Amino acid sequence: MFIKRVLFLVGVISNCYAKVDLGKYLKICSRNAVDVNDCLVVAIQMGLVTMAGGLQELGVPPLDPNHEKEIRIEYKRNQIFARMSMKDIYVEGLKAAKVHDARIRADEDRFHLEVDMTTPRVFVQGNYFGEGRFNSLTFNASGMFNTTMTDLVYTWKLDGVPEKRDNETYVRIKSFYMRPDVGNLESYVSNDIPESQGIIQLANDFANANWRPLYRELLPYAQDNWNKIGIRIANKLFLKVPYDKMFPA
Ligand SMILES: *[C@@H]1O[C@H](CO)[C@@H](O)[C@H](O)[C@H]1NC(C)=O
Ligand SMILES: *[C@@H]1O[C@H](CO)[C@@H](O)[C@H](O)[C@H]1NC(C)=O
Ligand SMILES: *[C@@H]1O[C@H](CO)[C@@H](O)[C@H](O)[C@H]1NC(C)=O
């Protein structure tokens, strides 16, 4: 008991005061090196594997699988209204991503990073509760969902601004953008509510037969969420490690 308390205390103290040695976890690239982009490709590739399990010392959550407590989406178009709350969402596949290119642009006022990537397979699963309206028909549905995407091609675009704190300059990420091209997408939704079995079965079949236009239609909703999640996760790193330590001159 006593030992546990002491260990806990030591843990708390080191979390607050330890100077984080980022080089212990991630390959560091000098921002003025001529080969900074090549260095970043290797650094980010290795970083994805390292960060798959999270970086406890920095409070960076595991990236693969990544867990989101809840995502809510509301969709309205013509006669269709749908509201969905997804819970305990797990996304896996990022650690198998391949980094192809990276470009960094930074000056006194702004920070911009682009990373070109491909991922063979991303699997998303979770629980959901949904309410739908189609003309005068209203229904609820609830259960589990999963989505398998293959052959993803995308570019991460991160934008940030410098932020001074305690004589150090950090970068605060303000925007995270991606628009993945997907080779194939399959999704399944289970439904525990007897009244809406028929319509959810129809919706499942329709969604799989028409995934391409549906993906395009729903992309802005997904991007809103990726933006929020990407900013939150990136800042766990960027706001803890001074810019001069992350990208030394
Ligand atoms: C759907 O669920 C909502 C919220 O729980 C409830 O207010 C509504 O009456 C339900 N609608 C149907 C058609 O069961
Ligand atoms: C910031 O730097 C100044 C000048 O070197 C120093 O007096 C001050 O104590 C430093 N503040 C912090 C929070 O480190
Ligand atoms: C996806 O969900 C469906 C419906 O709930 C289920 O039958 C299937 O086994 C799930 N797939 C995976 C890989 O979990």
Side-chain angles (χ1 to χ4, degrees), residues 48-68:
L48 286 177
V49 176
T50 308
M51 289 174 60
L55 290 181
Q56 219 173 0
E57 194 184 343
L58 289 171
V60 179
L63 290 187
D64 187 5
N66 177 245
H67 176 234
E68 294 296 323

Side-chain angles (χ1 to χ4, degrees), residues 165-168:
R165 197 169 8 106
D166 301 339
N167 291 346
E168 294 274 17

Side-chain angles (χ1 to χ4, degrees), residues 86-97:
M86 293 172 277
K87 290 205 167 133
D88 272 326
I89 305 142
Y90 286 90
V91 181
E92 55 187 80
L94 189 64
K95 61 172 170 267

Side-chain angles (χ1 to χ4, degrees), residues 91-105:
V91 181
E92 55 187 80
L94 189 64
K95 61 172 170 267
K98 182 159 174 27
V99 178
H100 296 272
D101 199 6
R103 298 167 293 280
I104 187 172
R105 270 204 320 270

Side-chain angles (χ1 to χ4, degrees), residues 129-131 138-140 193:
F129 176 81
E131 298 177 66
T138 66
F139 60 91
N140 289 341
I193 298 180

Side-chain angles (χ1 to χ4, degrees), residues 84-86 126-130 141-145 189-191 200:
M84 201 155 143
S85 153
M86 293 172 277
N127 300 312
Y128 81 99
F129 176 81
S142 158
M144 298 184 303
F145 72 92
V189 174
S190 76
N191 180 18
I200 292 304

Side-chain angles (χ1 to χ4, degrees), residues 223-243:
Q223 285 173 321
D224 269 358
N225 285 298
W226 295 335
N227 186 38
K228 284 186 208 122
I229 294 166
I231 289 172
R232 196 186 68 225
I233 293 176
N235 277 333
K236 297 257 186 211
L237 197 61
F238 279 83
L239 291 180
K240 277 196 198 108
V241 183
Y243 183 62

